[in-house]
Amino acid sequence: MAKGDRAAFEELYRRTSPWLAVRLRRRCGDEQIVAEVMQETYLAVWRAAGAFAGAAVGGTATGWLWTIAARRLVDAFRRRAHHAEPPPAAAVPDAAPAAEEEALAETVGGEVGDALRHLAPELRQVLQAMVLDGLSVRETAVLLGLPEGTVKTRARRARTAMRRALV
């Protein structure tokens, strides 16, 4: 892809777009924003493919892709912040675990996985955005539609709960 290989880009898109769309929809219920972010993300990936350092710095293509998409989602929320209504936040979790939560459970197992599963959903969302997705307090606040102070408080409560569960 870094050399302008369109077939390589199409293959990346074919393999990653369903996964990326699901992750974005979990954080934003507005299909228009999700479609916009998907388009902006893949355009950015195409333009910056030569800049991806990859495994040389311990990164993965999907991690790089998610970082770009998460930042584009925050940017989309900021662009629409002037509207009367805030952007739709992540959908309320259903009784059945989401695919992302199941993947998280498989990735983070043992005591840590158990502790994560026992966190209140609002604490788990903040922890996931800040720790797993690598977003700042401000980006997490915009993403979840919360004040920054609330994000900080929930992050502190989540860390405290995790410490207690792991002792």
Side-chain angles (χ1 to χ4, degrees), residues 25-29 88-96 98 101 121 125:
R25 284 185 189 112
R26 293 269 306 141
R27 284 164 177 75
C28 176
V92 176
D94 297 332
E101 289 175 5
Q125 281 181 330

Side-chain angles (χ1 to χ4, degrees), residues 6-65:
R6 191 173 184 85
F9 176 76
E10 289 171 359
E11 183 65 16
L12 175 75
Y13 182 83
R14 186 187 64 74
R15 289 184 183 191
T16 60
S17 63
W19 164 84
L20 184 60
V22 167
R23 279 194 91 167
L24 290 170
R25 284 185 189 112
R26 293 269 306 141
R27 284 164 177 75
C28 176
D30 187 330
E31 283 297 318
Q32 183 179 356
I33 292 176
V34 170
E36 195 176 291
V37 169
M38 290 280 291
Q39 184 175 15
E40 290 175 11
T41 298
Y42 283 102
L43 181 60
V45 166
W46 175 253
R47 289 179 176 164
F52 175 61
V57 294
T60 64
T62 54
W64 182 58
L65 184 67

Side-chain angles (χ1 to χ4, degrees), residues 66-97:
W66 174 245
T67 300
I68 293 169
R71 296 202 190 298
R72 294 290 189 270
L73 184 60
V74 169
D75 291 344
F77 285 166
R78 284 183 183 145
R79 281 193 303 270
R80 295 178 184 217
H82 66 279
H83 291 247
E85 293 183 52
V92 176
D94 297 332

Side-chain angles (χ1 to χ4, degrees), residues 36-165:
E36 195 176 291
V37 169
M38 290 280 291
Q39 184 175 15
E40 290 175 11
T41 298
Y42 283 102
L43 181 60
V45 166
W46 175 253
R47 289 179 176 164
F52 175 61
V57 294
T60 64
T62 54
W64 182 58
L65 184 67
W66 174 245
T67 300
I68 293 169
R71 296 202 190 298
R72 294 290 189 270
L73 184 60
V74 169
D75 291 344
F77 285 166
R78 284 183 183 145
R79 281 193 303 270
R80 295 178 184 217
H82 66 279
H83 291 247
E85 293 183 52
V92 176
D94 297 332
E100 185 174 283
E101 289 175 5
E102 290 176 2
L104 179 63
E106 290 175 13
T107 304
V108 182
E111 292 178 13
V112 175
D114 290 341
L116 276 172
R117 282 186 286 285
H118 287 97
L119 278 179
E122 65 274 8
L123 301 181
R124 188 172 43 244
Q125 281 181 330
V126 168
L127 194 65
Q128 180 179 5
M130 292 181 71
V131 175
L132 299 177
D133 296 339
L135 299 180
S136 69
V137 170
R138 174 169 284 171
E139 292 167 335
T140 300
V142 171
L143 181 68
L144 298 177
L146 300 169
E148 287 182 39
T150 302
V151 170
K152 290 176 185 177
T153 300
R154 288 182 182 178
R156 184 175 35 79
R157 288 178 52 209
R159 286 191 301 269
T160 301
M162 290 293 288
R163 275 191 213 107
R164 269 191 303 227

